[in-house]
Amino acid sequence: MMKEFERREGFQMRCADLNAWLDRLMDGELTDGQRRELEAHGRECPVCGEQIRATLEMKALFEEMPAEVDVPLAAQAKWRGAVRAEARGRASRRLYRRIGAAAAAVVLVAGIGWAMNARDIPLRSEKAAVSDAAEAPVEAAGALSEAADVEAMDAAPMMNDAVYKDVAYESEEALDYAASDAAVIEADGYAGSAAESASAPSAPMREIRLTVEDVDAASGVICDLVAEYDGTADAQRAEGGANLYVALPAENAADFLSAIAHLDVTGALSGLSGDFGEGTASLLLALEAKE
Amino acid sequence: MERTRNIIRLRRSRRWEVVRGVDENKLIRRAAGGDAAAFNELLGMHEKRMYAVALRMCNNAEDAQDCLQEAMLRIFRSISGFKAESSFSTWVYRITVNTCLDELRRRKNRPNTSLDGLLDTGWSPSDEDDTPDRHAARRQTRENLRRLIRELPEDMRAAVVLRDIEGYSYDEIAEILGANVGTVKSRISRGREKLREKITAHAELFDRPGV
């Protein structure tokens, strides 16, 4: 820490104070006068001069390094996919637990019914029969719950113990959303195009060209976004790129295009708008790799 | 031309809300409830800076991307416990730095084989007099400095990166690293001193300005 008197203009710095001065130089806290003082000292003292030159170079290089760096598209898609998988794993575990609880309730009701009938069975007291019936569902529920936990852990292999305790789904809405979040992917087989599977299109297919850095990565990101906007996508590889046939609710089309605009390196997609009418919007996204 | 046809059908029953313009707190609440779409939108605002930190902390781009993904998962897993008492971004970068430090410790004994993956993708020449040769030379010089940064002890490395590249204040760095301000200042000062020593020792790798 630089002492108060050292901040005065015209202060004659000593070699022993060099580190403190250089820290203030790095932090941009030296006044012009102090900086001239430092440089003057560097010219007179070769040892300090060497350190000052190294610091100036280091500072200049640090300033050239950006505080933000674009994440490669493939890496973007990867972490987003991992988060979605984690969300689905949580939802599955919650669902299994609910199924387990429901099954336990069924077993309990059946057990009570059995106990009521057991009154007629000789050599057993009514109390013992009821006690047995009460234990049976507990065991059954435990087994179901255990099985559910094992399956859930399979579904979310990256989950650790701390997370295991952290079941965040508290509302039916969240559960429904996450359970339906699963993407159904049918590969290497034609099961009807996106346009066919959607309701009757209300507007002709609109073709939009995108120039992207990485066709595969961009296709993955677009397919994810199609899902976000309640649509369906049919991906078809083409020479030097890919064609994505997209059908989605017309009211979501403009927002969807806005969301994918950043993938187009030419910037031509930014600000693209239009009336997509009502019903279903059909789009052909022609992706080609940047030269 | 051989064509491969993949049919991808994706369904969702819940409509995606346009989250652009939605305030951060609302996204945090939704993400805490397990909404992956809200989480992805929220963290999409921070990923570039998180990646920049990871790139400077890790040995190569591949490791940095692994750390980014792991940090995102850690944040998703613990966001329901986030307390609004501290800044969300500070909390996010704290987890990012800790993830990188954990990864560095885990891989400590592994040889570093891929330095080439570290690319300075975000920089463009700002000087009109910059020439391709000059640009390439400066890029190489920056790479030399990055190598020296990676040789710093981990605690110093994190502090120097956060201060001198990411531009955080000493107080913010103390919060991110979970250390007191005095310790942070000391780490940064010693880290810079070590870098100066290395730059001086490898003068041929740096074109230093005259004094």
Side-chain angles (χ1 to χ4, degrees):
Chain A
M1 182 64 69
M2 191 167 285
K3 298 182 186 72
E4 185 58 37
F5 70 89
E6 291 172 333
R7 297 195 182 115
R8 292 198 308 264
E9 300 293 332
F11 170 76
Q12 294 292 311
M13 71 163 289
R14 297 169 300 161
C15 297
D17 301 324
L18 183 69
N19 269 354
W21 279 74
L22 294 181
D23 277 335
R24 292 182 68 84
L25 173 66
M26 288 295 293
D27 290 331
E29 292 177 356
L30 289 183
T31 64
D32 289 345
Q34 288 169 334
R35 182 162 173 150
R36 282 194 296 274
E37 179 75 26
L38 177 69
E39 290 173 358
H41 177 76
R43 282 190 291 273
E44 292 167 6
C45 173
V47 177
C48 288
E50 186 76 3
Q51 297 294 310
I52 294 166
R53 279 190 291 276
T55 302
L56 289 172
E57 168 67 345
M58 183 165 70
K59 184 173 167 61
L61 287 168
F62 276 142
E63 284 168 358
E64 289 172 10
M65 293 183 183
E68 294 187 343
V69 176
D70 286 338
V71 183
L73 281 176
Q76 285 185 38
K78 201 173 158 195
W79 77 254
R80 285 177 166 83
V83 167
R84 277 193 296 273
E86 178 100 10
R88 282 196 294 273
R90 279 191 200 176
S92 301
R93 194 168 60 250
R94 178 85 174 173
L95 186 64
Y96 283 130
R97 284 185 176 162
R98 286 178 180 216
I99 291 170
V106 169
V107 171
L108 182 64
V109 169
I112 290 172
W114 178 83
M116 297 292 280
N117 292 334
R119 287 178 176 182
D120 301 331
I121 299 174
L123 303 178
R124 293 196 63 165
S125 72
E126 185 173 319
K127 189 177 174 184
V130 171
S131 172
D132 286 351
E135 284 172 16
V138 171
E139 288 171 12
L144 275 167
S145 177
E146 192 178 335
D149 287 348
V150 169
E151 277 194 64
M153 290 307 284
D154 286 345
M158 299 183 76
M159 209 164 284
N160 59 27
D161 291 339
V163 181
Y164 190 65
K165 286 182 270 182
D166 177 23
V167 178
Y169 285 95
E170 295 301 338
S171 69
E172 281 292 337
E173 184 188 43
L175 177 69
D176 291 343
Y177 161 61
S180 64
D181 190 30
V184 181
I185 299 176
E186 302 163 34
D188 298 321
Y190 184 77
S193 72
E196 288 166 359
S197 63
S199 55
S202 57
M205 183 173 284
R206 187 162 166 182
E207 182 174 342
I208 296 167
R209 296 194 167 277
L210 285 89
T211 305
V212 297
E213 288 193 356
D214 181 329
V215 170
D216 288 341
S219 298
V221 172
I222 289 172
C223 283
D224 285 346
L225 284 166
V226 168
E228 307 278 12
Y229 286 88
D230 292 342
T232 56
D234 173 355
Q236 189 176 341
R237 194 166 287 286
E239 194 171 7
N243 290 327
L244 299 178
Y245 298 91
V246 174
L248 77 172
E251 70 263 29
N252 293 349
D255 292 333
F256 167 72
L257 288 177
S258 171
I260 65 169
H262 72 283
L263 297 170
D264 184 50
V265 295
T266 67
L269 208 57
S270 298
L272 186 69
S273 60
D275 183 11
F276 292 91
E278 295 179 354
T280 301
S282 298
L283 307 172
L284 165 56
L285 304 179
L287 273 59
E288 59 182 19
K290 183 179 152 190
E291 289 293 323
Chain B
M1 181 182 66
E2 185 181 344
R3 286 190 168 191
T4 307
R5 170 168 283 234
N6 288 337
I7 304 301
I8 303 170
R9 287 172 142 192
L10 304 123
R11 292 198 305 262
R12 282 203 171 186
S13 63
R14 178 166 149 156
R15 175 161 303 162
W16 164 257
E17 286 181 39
V18 178
V19 290
R20 211 166 277 105
V22 171
D23 69 86
E24 186 179 76
N25 288 338
K26 188 175 177 185
L27 285 174
I28 291 170
R29 281 196 300 275
R30 285 173 51 193
D35 186 335
F39 180 86
N40 290 349
E41 179 73 14
L42 177 66
L43 271 294
M45 301 173 196
H46 297 278
E47 67 177 342
K48 289 184 179 180
R49 185 163 272 228
M50 290 170 70
Y51 185 54
V53 171
L55 266 179
R56 275 87 196 219
M57 292 292 294
C58 295
N59 291 327
N60 56 57
E62 191 181 25
D63 288 355
Q65 288 166 22
D66 287 347
C67 283
L68 177 68
Q69 178 173 328
E70 178 59 24
M72 290 294 187
L73 285 170
R74 287 188 187 185
I75 294 165
F76 185 61
R77 289 163 185 167
S78 53
I79 195 169
S80 58
F82 169 70
K83 302 279 183 277
E85 296 151 5
S86 61
S87 147
F88 181 69
S89 64
T90 302
W91 182 73
V92 161
Y93 299 124
R94 179 176 192 164
I95 292 176
T96 307
V97 171
N98 285 336
T99 303
C100 293
L101 290 173
D102 290 347
E103 189 63 13
L104 285 169
R105 285 173 199 133
R106 199 170 68 79
R107 300 186 180 193
K108 207 161 196 173
N109 297 324
R110 265 201 241 167
N112 177 21
T113 55
S114 175
L115 290 177
D116 297 336
L118 194 72
L119 295 175
D120 189 6
T121 52
W123 189 82
S124 60
S126 54
D127 184 350
E128 288 181 2
D129 296 331
D130 209 1
T131 64
D133 286 349
R134 171 81 183 144
H135 183 172
R138 286 302 285 175
R139 181 175 172 150
Q140 183 56 50
T141 311
R142 283 194 299 278
E143 176 55 29
N144 295 337
L145 180 59
R146 270 192 293 269
R147 287 177 192 228
L148 298 184
I149 292 171
R150 288 197 293 267
E151 290 173 10
L152 288 176
E154 289 149 10
D155 56 346
M156 285 184 202
R157 191 189 317 179
V160 168
V161 166
L162 290 170
R163 176 65 190 154
D164 288 331
I165 303 179
E166 298 302 318
Y168 286 102
S169 70
Y170 287 107
D171 287 341
E172 287 169 323
I173 297 169
E175 197 177 340
I176 290 172
L177 297 180
N180 65 50
V181 176
T183 303
V184 165
K185 283 186 174 177
S186 167
R187 284 181 193 169
I188 292 170
S189 184
R190 283 185 292 124
R192 288 169 175 167
E193 193 177 350
K194 279 182 179 290
L195 287 176
R196 273 199 301 275
E197 287 169 5
K198 290 169 187 284
I199 289 172
T200 308
H202 300 283
E204 72 283 0
L205 299 177
F206 296 90
D207 51 340
R208 287 168 294 162
V211 173

